[in-house]
């Protein structure tokens, strides 16, 4: 099955590519096809006016969808959008079984998020703008709700859902957190975006109408990606308060957590370097061996071990950086001590020296303002 993703001229190429890449990231029998084709505005009258905050449609509220009137047929604004799909289909000789999906920032007279033309004409439009208004996460990337609408409309087309005489068995109102919820109040769309759900009745219809299980599975996995992104954003907003650190007499004290542990001079020197001297992007072991960084580490070690001679301090640090596994063993022991002391994986992950072998190592909350060192 091929799905051709096209766009109207005002939709940004960058955002179009993000939607395409998200859809293509889910493997399966559906082939999502992108294009660099651009419609000639002079060939379509309705494309000749520039988009502004003003639009000619008389909505009571921007959050309310207007009910489809079957007797009146498709409104002109829908026909204009589907006309672009037809034009592209005819221009490139696409077969009837292929989907053509138009991504557009142009509003339509019924104020719908999206719609498919019919079960025979596999044309779909998706309104790509204003999604920030209908989702409760400012950080939600624009491609996720658009990808959801693409998968939803393909499902509905293949299921032969009657979206023009609603509600019905497979077009629900009130909402039940199913992809086929009608959502006359557009703010309700958040529930099906977050759930990625399909009700039992619609699942049975999918089994009846879509013979290729892998097609259904691929579409559901796209819905799941949108759902999972919401979950990720929820946990990204749950950030614990990071504690200030006081380092004195070889003890590292986490003031807010009332936790502390003692380190050897060498492990503490390594930790202090990554806390206050390493740049934000971190420092690799090879970079740490360079003279400037090595001298900073030696100076820290001298401050922590004032009874050692300069030659002794240089020798200890040289061994740390050059002897087999010395660096990794000290770093691992240090991190183990931090994890055992703090317990919470989310919190401790911010304080350990993290990084893979060969990559830059860093402490994620490295910030001088959080660290008070008393030698």
């Amino acid at each position: 099955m091929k799905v051709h993703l096209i766009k109207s001229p005002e939709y940004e190429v960058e955002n179009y590519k993000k939607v395409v890449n998200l859809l293509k990231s889910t493997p399966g029998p559906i082939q999502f096809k992108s294009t660099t084709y651009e419609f000639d505005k002079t060939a379509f009258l309705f494309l000749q006016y520039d988009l502004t905050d003003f639009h000619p449609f008389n909505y009571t509220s921007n959050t309310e969808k207007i009910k489809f009137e079957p007797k009146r047929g498709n409104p002109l604004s829908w026909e204009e959008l589907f006309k672009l799909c037809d034009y592209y289909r005819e221009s490139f000789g696409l077969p009837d079984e292929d989907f053509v999906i138009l991504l557009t920032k142009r509003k339509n007279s019924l104020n719908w998020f999206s719609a498919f033309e019919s079960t025979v004409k596999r044309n779909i439009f998706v309104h790509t703008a204003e999604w920030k208004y209908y989702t409760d996460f400012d950080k939600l990337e624009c491609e996720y709700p658009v990808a959801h609408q693409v998968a939803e409309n393909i499902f509905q087309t293949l299921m032969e859902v009657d979206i023009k005489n609603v509600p019905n068995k497979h077009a629900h109102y009130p909402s039940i957190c199913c992809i086929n919820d009608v959502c006359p109040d557009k703010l309700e769309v958040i529930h099906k975006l977050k759930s990625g759900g399909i009700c039992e009745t619609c699942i049975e219809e999918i089994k009846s109408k879509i013979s290729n299980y892998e097609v259904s599975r691929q579409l559901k996995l796209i819905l799941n990606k949108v759902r999972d992104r919401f979950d990720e954003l929820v946990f990204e907003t749950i950030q614990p308060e990071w504690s200030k650190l006081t380092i004195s007499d070889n003890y590292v004290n986490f003031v807010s957590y009332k936790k502390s542990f003692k380190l050897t001079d060498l492990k503490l020197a390594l930790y202090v370097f990554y806390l206050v001297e390493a740049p934000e992007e971190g420092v690799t072991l090879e970079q740490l061996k360079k003279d400037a960084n090595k001298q900073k580490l030696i100076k820290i070690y001298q401050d922590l071990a004032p009874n050692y001679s300069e030659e002794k301090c240089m020798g200890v640090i040289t061994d740390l950086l050059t002897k087999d596994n010395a660096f990794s063993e000290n770093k691992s022991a240090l991190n183990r001590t931090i994890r055992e002391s703090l317990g919470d994986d989310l919190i401790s992950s911010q304080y350990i020296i993290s990084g893979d072998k060969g990559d830059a190592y860093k402490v994620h909350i490295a910030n001088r303002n959080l660290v008070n060192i008393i030698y």
Side-chain angles (χ1 to χ4, degrees), residues 19-225:
V19 175
V20 171
N21 290 337
L22 178 57
L23 292 168
K24 284 185 173 182
S25 68
T26 303
I30 303 174
Q31 300 176 48
F32 290 99
K33 300 289 188 179
S34 60
T35 182
T36 57
Y37 180 82
E38 290 284 355
F39 288 98
D40 181 0
K41 289 185 180 182
T42 62
F44 301 91
L45 181 62
F46 75 99
L47 291 179
Q48 293 179 28
Y49 67 87
D50 292 327
L51 290 181
T52 64
D53 291 336
F54 170 79
H55 57 80
F57 306 122
N58 185 24
Y59 303 150
T60 304
S61 166
N62 200 39
T63 64
E64 292 182 14
K65 290 168 63 176
I66 299 172
K67 187 175 180 180
F68 188 93
E69 295 291 342
K71 292 181 180 179
R72 300 179 63 181
N74 286 344
L76 176 60
S77 60
W78 284 23
E79 291 295 340
E80 289 173 335
L81 297 176
F82 290 139
K83 186 176 181 180
L84 294 182
C85 296
D86 278 335
Y87 185 86
Y88 186 85
R89 185 184 295 275
E90 293 166 7
S91 297
F92 292 91
L94 304 181
D96 293 341
E97 61 266 25
D98 284 12
F99 282 85
V100 177
I101 302 181
L102 173 70
L103 307 181
T104 181
K105 293 175 74 172
R106 295 185 176 275
K107 299 176 78 72
N108 58 90
S109 60
L110 299 188
N111 201 22
W112 284 33
F113 289 119
S114 58
F116 64 91
E117 186 165 7
S118 72
T119 58
V120 178
K121 296 191 70 174
R122 294 182 167 185
N123 294 332
I124 295 169
F125 73 79
V126 176
H127 186 225
T128 60
E130 301 181 352
W131 280 101
K132 296 288 186 187
Y133 185 77
Y134 300 105
T135 61
D136 55 2
F137 285 99
D138 289 337
K139 292 183 179 179
L140 180 67
E141 296 87 345
C142 59
E143 61 266 28
Y144 283 91
V146 176
H148 185 284
Q149 292 295 294
V150 169
E152 174 186 312
N153 278 267
I154 296 174
F155 255 138
Q156 291 171 347
T157 304
L158 297 175
M159 291 171 64
E160 301 179 1
V161 175
D162 185 356
I163 63 171
K164 298 175 180 178
N165 293 278
V166 297
N168 57 61
K169 187 178 180 181
H170 301 117
H172 318 300
Y173 181 74
S175 297
I176 58 173
C177 290
C178 173
I179 58 167
N180 291 332
D181 288 347
V182 176
C183 300
D185 179 351
K186 294 177 73 173
L187 293 173
E188 293 179 354
V189 75
I190 188 71
H191 303 304
K192 61 180 179 180
L193 291 175
K194 283 184 173 181
S195 74
I198 305 175
C199 72
E200 288 298 325
T201 302
C202 289
I203 287 175
E204 291 305 313
E205 188 70 1
I206 287 170
K207 291 178 180 178
S208 172
K209 294 287 177 63
I210 305 177
S211 59
N212 188 339
Y213 163 77
E214 291 299 325
V215 168
S216 301
R217 182 176 182 275
Q218 184 178 0
L219 292 172
K220 184 61 172 71
L221 289 175
I222 293 170
L223 299 176
N224 290 352
K225 281 190 175 181

Side-chain angles (χ1 to χ4, degrees), residues 253-272:
N253 301 288
F254 293 87
V255 179
S256 300
Y257 308 147
K258 298 181 179 179
K259 301 282 182 70
S260 65
F261 52 83
K262 191 173 184 177
L263 294 173
T264 64
D265 292 336
L266 183 58
K267 291 183 180 65
L268 186 57
L270 185 63
Y271 194 39
V272 170

Side-chain angles (χ1 to χ4, degrees), residues 204-249:
E204 291 305 313
E205 188 70 1
I206 287 170
K207 291 178 180 178
S208 172
K209 294 287 177 63
I210 305 177
S211 59
N212 188 339
Y213 163 77
E214 291 299 325
V215 168
S216 301
R217 182 176 182 275
Q218 184 178 0
L219 292 172
K220 184 61 172 71
L221 289 175
I222 293 170
L223 299 176
N224 290 352
K225 281 190 175 181
V226 179
R227 175 202 65 195
D228 293 346
R229 185 59 186 140
F230 273 99
D231 289 343
E232 291 166 2
L233 288 170
V234 167
F235 284 96
E236 285 178 12
T237 63
I238 304 174
Q239 292 286 351
E241 177 186 353
W242 306 125
S243 176
K244 287 189 176 182
L245 284 75
T246 298
I247 297 175
S248 178
D249 296 327

